[in-house]
């Protein structure tokens, strides 16, 4: 556990909110020094390693996946002024505090150690991947997929702790995606004293908003778990001055998508003259389609929890999008299992439990060695 905590602290101390190079260097150097794996560093800075089953063309690949970029730190989380300088890392009361401790360098460290220590079955290749750019739309994962990263199965080590109950690390079988889009209403400008001379873009936008409010939010069922999406207008911007009929109004929509279903926003736009719909960001949802894999992961997690005298984890659903969505979209069967607890990521007091990191390390190693 001390090795895992030390490695976590080493990674957390390295700034990686603007430039992930140094963090990637540290991960790459550790893998080359601590393993005999085939280690790769791609053009955007992803670190990927493989071991086992080199001569078996029928071998399945199981990947342990994380990311080493983080969101910008708060002032208290850096040793320099503002966001400059090494990140501050503290260990106290059984937890490690610092930007990226929970999201998700602690879990990356657990994956690294499990990758080193696990001895997979002879017919399985074990992979490790730490991506860049997860916090800005999955740019690292998308690049890796584009250039051939295609494991059969993956455990993405994002947070799944304390979901079903306190003190357990659950196995996520599905998560929501996020589609951010904009309704753009066009009109004709006129003096506000003669509104009939123009076409009010805000009125058209309001009509489109009414159409959106009538849409059903997306829904799905995965492993018997209900996954409910959502749909909400979050910003409206139109007009430039008080005495001119506005010729443009933009309506921002936040939609949480689910596997296999999306809201029909295009229909809402088509129902109102002069309104177009533009998709700004589309982070895909994830649903595991491999029952034996999901069951094996839950069995591995339950075995670890039982050994530690903890309550049994469950298959659960996660509300947040992760890189598992990109991998699933490309054909990889994914699960999410990791140390971060709800309310820890991206906060000024971000932290992770050392005992939870150890629990995750055991789960990853157990699953990597298990037949399924």
């Amino acid at each position: 556990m001390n090795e895992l905590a030390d490695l976590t602290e080493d990674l957390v101390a390295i700034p990686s909110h603007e430039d992930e190079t140094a963090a990637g260097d540290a991960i790459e150097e550790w893998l080359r020094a601590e393993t005999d794996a085939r280690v790769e560093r791609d053009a955007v800075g992803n670190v990927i390693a493989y071991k086992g089953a080199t001569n078996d063309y029928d071998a399945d690949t199981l990947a342990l996946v994380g990311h080493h970029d983080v969101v910008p730190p708060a002032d208290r989380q850096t040793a320099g002024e503002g966001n400059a300088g090494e990140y501050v890392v503290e260990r106290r009361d059984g937890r490690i505090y610092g930007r990226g401790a929970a999201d998700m360098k602690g879990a990356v460290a657990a994956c690294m150690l499990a990758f080193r220590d696990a001895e997979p079955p002879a017919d399985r290749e074990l992979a490790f991947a730490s991506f860049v750019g997860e916090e800005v739309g999955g740019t690292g994962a998308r690049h890796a997929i584009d250039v051939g990263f295609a494991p059969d199965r993956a455990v993405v080590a994002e947070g799944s702790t304390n979901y079903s109950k306190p003190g357990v690390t659950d196995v996520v079988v599905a998560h929501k995606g996020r589609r951010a889009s904009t309704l753009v209403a066009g009109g004709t400008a006129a003096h506000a004293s003669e509104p009939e001379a123009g076409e009010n873009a805000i009125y058209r936008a309001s009509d489109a908003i009414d159409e959106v409010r009538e849409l059903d939010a997306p829904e799905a069922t995965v492993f018997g778990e209900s996954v409910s999406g959502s749909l909400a207008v979050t910003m409206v911007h139109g007009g430039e001055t008080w005495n001119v009929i506005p010729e443009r109004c933009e309506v921002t929509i936040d939609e949480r998508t689910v596997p296999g279903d999306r809201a029909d926003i295009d229909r809402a736009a088509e129902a109102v003259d002069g309104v177009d719909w533009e998709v700004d960001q589309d982070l895909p949802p994830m649903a595991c389609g491999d029952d034996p894999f999901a069951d094996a992961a839950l069995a591995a997690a339950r075995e670890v929890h039982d050994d530690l005298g903890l309550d049994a984890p469950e298959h659960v659903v996660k509300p947040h999008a992760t890189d598992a969505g990109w991998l699933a979209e490309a054909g990889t069967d994914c699960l999410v299992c990791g140390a971060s607890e709800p309310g820890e990521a991206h906060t000024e007091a971000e932290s992770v439990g050392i005992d939870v990191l150890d629990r995750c390390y055991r789960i990853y190693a157990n699953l990597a060695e298990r037949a399924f």
Side-chain angles (χ1 to χ4, degrees):
M1 188 182 297
N2 283 338
E3 182 183 20
L4 177 52
D6 291 344
L7 180 57
T8 296
E9 288 186 336
D10 290 344
L11 295 180
V12 172
I14 303 171
S16 57
H17 64 284
E18 292 180 337
D19 184 348
E20 301 101 316
T21 303
D25 288 345
I27 294 169
E28 180 184 6
E29 290 167 7
W30 187 95
L31 289 167
R32 294 191 185 281
E34 294 286 332
T35 76
D36 294 325
R38 306 179 299 281
V39 182
E40 304 172 359
R41 187 77 168 274
D42 68 20
V44 299
N46 296 319
V47 184
I48 301 173
Y50 300 90
K51 75 176 195 178
T54 55
N55 297 317
D56 188 345
Y57 292 102
D58 294 325
D60 284 345
T61 300
L62 170 66
L64 305 176
V65 177
H67 66 85
H68 52 275
D69 67 311
V70 300
V71 298
D75 288 347
R76 63 186 286 187
Q77 293 172 318
T78 65
E81 294 185 8
N83 289 341
E86 187 173 87
Y87 294 171
V88 172
V89 186
E90 297 180 84
R91 189 188 307 192
R92 64 178 187 274
D93 302 323
R95 300 185 70 85
I96 295 172
Y97 290 79
R99 171 59 79 226
D103 187 17
M104 57 175 298
K105 289 177 177 176
V108 169
C111 288
M112 291 164 67
L113 287 170
F115 175 79
R116 181 194 68 185
D117 296 344
E119 297 183 4
D123 61 349
R124 179 178 302 150
E125 180 179 57
L126 185 61
F128 164 85
S130 188
F131 295 137
V132 301
E134 191 275 343
E135 301 289 1
V136 290
T139 56
R142 291 154 65 189
H143 175 85
I145 292 165
D146 287 345
V147 297
F149 183 69
D152 299 278
R153 301 173 182 87
V155 176
V156 176
E158 294 279 8
S160 67
T161 297
N162 296 352
Y163 273 58
S164 68
K165 61 185 78 73
V168 303
T169 297
D170 294 300
V171 175
V172 174
V173 293
H175 71 55
K176 300 177 188 179
R178 176 180 183 266
R179 182 166 64 171
S181 62
T182 305
L183 294 171
V184 180
T188 303
H191 197 282
S193 65
E194 299 178 305
E196 68 280 357
E199 291 287 348
N200 195 314
I202 291 178
Y203 291 168
R204 286 179 167 175
S206 298
D207 291 341
I209 289 172
D210 287 340
E211 294 288 336
V212 169
R213 294 179 68 182
E214 295 299 317
L215 295 177
D216 293 328
E219 294 186 354
T221 301
V222 182
F223 283 86
E225 296 287 336
S226 177
V227 189
S228 298
S230 60
L231 186 67
V233 170
T234 55
M235 290 190 293
V236 178
H237 181 267
E240 295 184 8
T241 188
W242 63 273
N243 61 348
V244 175
I245 299 299
E247 62 181 355
R248 182 181 177 89
C249 183
E250 297 183 356
V251 177
T252 299
I253 300 173
D254 181 288
E255 178 190 0
R256 302 302 160 134
T257 59
V258 301
D261 192 22
R262 292 172 179 235
D264 194 0
I265 303 175
D266 193 31
R267 179 172 64 82
E270 290 176 351
V272 181
D273 289 340
V275 175
D276 295 319
W277 179 51
E278 302 172 354
V279 176
D280 306 302
Q281 184 186 67
D282 196 351
L283 307 180
M286 178 277 289
C288 183
D290 187 331
D291 290 14
F293 177 42
D295 290 341
L298 185 60
R302 286 183 168 177
E303 184 175 295
V304 169
H305 282 70
D306 186 61
D307 288 345
L308 296 171
L310 301 172
D311 290 338
E314 305 291 342
H315 281 153
V316 297
V317 171
K318 185 177 176 70
H320 313 297
T322 76
D323 278 339
W326 299 112
L327 291 167
E329 187 176 63
T332 296
D333 279 302
C334 292
L335 299 167
V336 173
C337 182
S340 183
E341 307 151 51
E344 284 294 339
H346 302 187
T347 64
E348 291 191 11
E350 181 177 349
S351 69
V352 67
I354 297 172
D355 60 334
V356 184
L357 291 178
D358 178 65
R359 188 191 310 161
C360 290
Y361 158 76
R362 295 174 186 233
I363 294 171
Y364 304 152
N366 186 316
L367 180 60
E369 295 179 347
R370 185 178 290 261
F372 48 81

